[in-house]
Amino acid sequence: MYAKIKDVLSGRFADGEEVEIGGWVVKNRSSGKIVFTLIRDATGEMQVTTRKGNVCDEALKVADALSMECSVIVKGKVRTDPRAPGGKELLATELKLIGTSKDYPIFGREEHNPEVLLDLRHLHVRSKELVAVMKVKDAVLSACREWFRANGFYEVTPPIIISSACEGGSTLFEVKYFEDKAYLSQSAQLYLESLIFGLEKVYSITPSFRAEKSRTTRHLAEYWHIEGEMAWMGLYEMIDMLESLVCFVCNKAAEERYGEIKLIGGDPEYFKALKPPFPRITYDDAIKALQADGFSIKWGEDFGTHEERQLSTHYDKPIFVTEYPAEVKAFYMKDAGNGKVLNVDMIAPKGFGEVIGASERETDLRIIEERLRRQGEDPSKYEWYLDLRRYGSVPHSGFGMGAERLVRWICGLEHIRDAIPFPRTISRSYP
């Protein structure tokens, strides 16, 4: 079992103690009789020093010829040295080349056109920055599950192949399902709603697919969706709950991955200190604020990237915008009267945009059928969903949170494509 670099750097092994590590070469420099090699594993980077006399001539020759991303196994003695990265180094006694890496294609291309790095994403995911993002994302997903379990939710596994739309037919990916037509899921919501009648509080973390022809820094065609549905819960009780969830996840991620967030350029202190309450404004108030800021938006229009960015400049915390016009929202949202619905969007500060969309769900069967028809949908295709209103319906609410949007905000990423290992966008499905 190889030692992990973070354990060596943390002082778990005393000076002079011999350990063995496995890893990949970050960089290598040689003066002939001494070779300095920076090696990484999943936990960190450390310097390995290979000197003539400490290893056999063949091992020194191997060390001298190491190139970027070669994989190696090194046995050596721990030594404290303030000049070394992390304050410690390994004085090699044995060094073995495991996998060669001739002409590593990313070498020197870090500043190239982003499309070049996206073509080489299978290699670029090894980079220090993307590794850090993936560690933050792991902390986010783990913290979500921890919060859900602590608050009485059950994790469920809704289908990815569906027969009808949840968010509108124009953004569905159609697939051939044996002899029938089916689609990739836009959201697990409708299925989660059915499960609350047995479990009351449920959540899922699943991929969702949106065929939106958007070329923005916050849209993906495939992303990971954190969704929850709760029986016996109204909109404003849910908003209190969402504050608790978001703060817990941000606090936990910042505590566990402080160094990674800082490395990427994020502000871990902000997320460690984030706590309720978040500002709450109505859609009506948001329209007035935007108009006062010089936007030409009119009541009844939905917010786009620019409007959300402008709203967020007035606050240093996420904001909840409630009660949008029914005409710009989905058929399942609860009628609030006056042409509005009982919904909420959580918009992150500093222009990171919408992270959560949520609503109290409509329970009136007639209203749902009418809205479906108005949106050009055939209610008969939703018979199974409409049954939920026919048999024992209760007040309930639910939400969807984009995992990558949350990670992008926490990490301060310029583009959402760096919050997922292999981004799928309007122009990319490779590699």
Side-chain angles (χ1 to χ4, degrees), residues 14 23 25 38 67 69 93 104 117-118 150 154 167 176 185 214 239 286 295 321 327 337-338 349 386 409 420 423:
V25 174
L38 189 63
S67 59
E69 287 303 310
T93 55
Y104 185 62
L117 293 180
L118 286 169
Y154 297 92
E167 297 291 343
K176 189 173 187 293
S185 175
S214 300
I239 293 175
F295 281 69
V321 183
E327 291 304 313
N338 299 320
L386 299 178
W409 173 42
I420 194 166

Side-chain angles (χ1 to χ4, degrees), residues 144 147-148 153 167 187-189 192-193 201-205 225-230 233 235 238-239 241-243 245-246 320 332-333 344-346 354-361 396-402 406:
C144 282
W147 186 92
F148 281 124
F153 282 74
E167 297 291 343
S187 165
Q189 180 202 316
L192 296 185
E193 284 190 63
K201 294 166 76 173
V202 298
Y203 79 97
S204 64
I205 302 178
H225 216 166
I226 302 160
E227 298 180 87
E229 290 288 326
M230 299 75 63
M233 187 176 289
L235 175 67
M238 177 176 59
I239 293 175
M241 185 203 78
L242 291 174
E243 282 181 333
L245 168 62
V246 170
F320 287 115
Y332 50 73
M333 296 186 179
V344 64
D345 285 348
M346 191 192 87
E354 179 195 338
V355 174
I356 297 175
S359 75
E360 187 169 334
R361 309 313 194 191
H396 61 288
S397 299
F399 69 93
M401 177 164 63
L406 182 59

Side-chain angles (χ1 to χ4, degrees), residues 10-60:
S10 71
R12 179 175 170 182
F13 301 96
D15 276 18
E17 189 171 351
E18 190 167 70
V19 299
E20 190 173 26
I21 64 171
W24 294 264
V25 174
V26 178
K27 58 184 176 181
N28 199 50
R29 61 186 176 90
S30 171
S31 64
K33 294 182 180 180
I34 183 169
V35 182
F36 297 99
T37 309
L38 189 63
I39 292 178
R40 65 168 178 85
D41 67 10
T43 67
E45 297 178 349
M46 76 175 299
Q47 179 174 289
V48 171
T49 301
T50 309
R51 294 177 183 271
K52 185 176 178 63
N54 288 353
V55 297
C56 67
D57 290 346
E58 182 59 31
L60 184 63

Side-chain angles (χ1 to χ4, degrees), residues 9 38 46-47 49 79-90:
L9 296 178
L38 189 63
M46 76 175 299
Q47 179 174 289
T49 301
R79 177 175 178 269
T80 298
D81 186 341
R83 297 169 299 177
K88 290 184 181 292
E89 66 176 355
L90 202 61

Side-chain angles (χ1 to χ4, degrees), residues 105-106 109-125 428 431:
I106 288 183
R109 296 194 181 194
E110 288 79 358
E111 302 302 323
H112 279 210
N113 185 317
E115 292 299 319
V116 174
L117 293 180
L118 286 169
D119 286 338
L120 297 170
R121 190 70 163 200
H122 53 294
L123 300 177
H124 194 216
V125 288
R428 179 165 293 278

Side-chain angles (χ1 to χ4, degrees), residues 99-110:
T100 61
S101 179
K102 185 180 179 182
D103 301 324
Y104 185 62
I106 288 183
F107 183 72
R109 296 194 181 194
E110 288 79 358

Side-chain angles (χ1 to χ4, degrees), residues 234-240 242-243 278-287 299 301-303 311 315 318-326 328-329 333-334 336-347 356-360:
L235 175 67
Y236 295 98
E237 185 182 355
M238 177 176 59
I239 293 175
D240 292 340
L242 291 174
E243 282 181 333
F278 297 166
R280 303 180 187 190
I281 63 172
T282 64
Y283 171 87
D284 291 356
D285 291 335
I287 288 290
W299 196 97
E301 296 176 353
D302 204 357
F303 302 141
L311 286 172
Y315 306 91
I319 58 170
F320 287 115
V321 183
T322 61
E323 298 188 23
Y324 284 63
V328 299
K329 290 300 178 181
M333 296 186 179
K334 180 76 172 176
N338 299 320
K340 302 175 186 177
V341 289
L342 290 177
N343 81 300
V344 64
D345 285 348
M346 191 192 87
I347 299 173
I356 297 175
S359 75
E360 187 169 334

